[in-house]
Amino acid sequence: QVQLVESGGGFVQTGGSQILACAASGVRFSITTIDWYRQAPGNQRELVATVTNYAASVKDRFVITRDYVQKTVYLHMSSLQPEDTAVYYCHTTQWGEDYWGQGTQVTVSS
């Protein structure tokens, strides 16, 4: 059973940094692509980062890393701005099905 569990959200001041974690189970982690999305109130869910590509709005501020022992994908976020406030989700596709974590709220105060 595929399961993704995010952690690490919370409140941060403008210009601050935060690290989100996505622990994966039920997948062959070494060959599984896990990416990060976010959804702000009133907006559609948008792709933030994959292993090889980043949204223009976060490029040079966000970085994905992977821990193959812990089977965890991290999203390192820096220079956070109020417009980064959103619920962040990790995501994977297995056998044609989309799987999402429960989401973790990141709030950047101005």
Side-chain angles (χ1 to χ4, degrees), residues 59-95:
K59 199 171 184 180
D60 298 328
R61 299 189 299 122
F62 290 13
V63 177
I64 283 184
T65 62
R66 297 168 64 98
D67 183 329
Y68 289 87
V69 174
Q70 298 295 327
K71 298 184 180 180
T72 299
V73 176
Y74 298 94
L75 183 65
H76 303 255
M77 307 184 293
S78 61
S79 302
L80 285 163
Q81 303 298 315
E83 51 265 35
D84 294 316
T85 295
V87 178
Y88 285 72
Y89 300 88
C90 55
H91 161 268
T92 190
T93 301
Q94 299 285 306
W95 306 288

Side-chain angles (χ1 to χ4, degrees), residues 38-54:
R38 68 185 181 187
Q39 187 167 19
N43 290 358
Q44 290 188 335
R45 194 169 296 188
E46 62 172 350
L47 178 63
V48 173
T50 69
V51 173
T52 57
N53 197 28
Y54 295 87

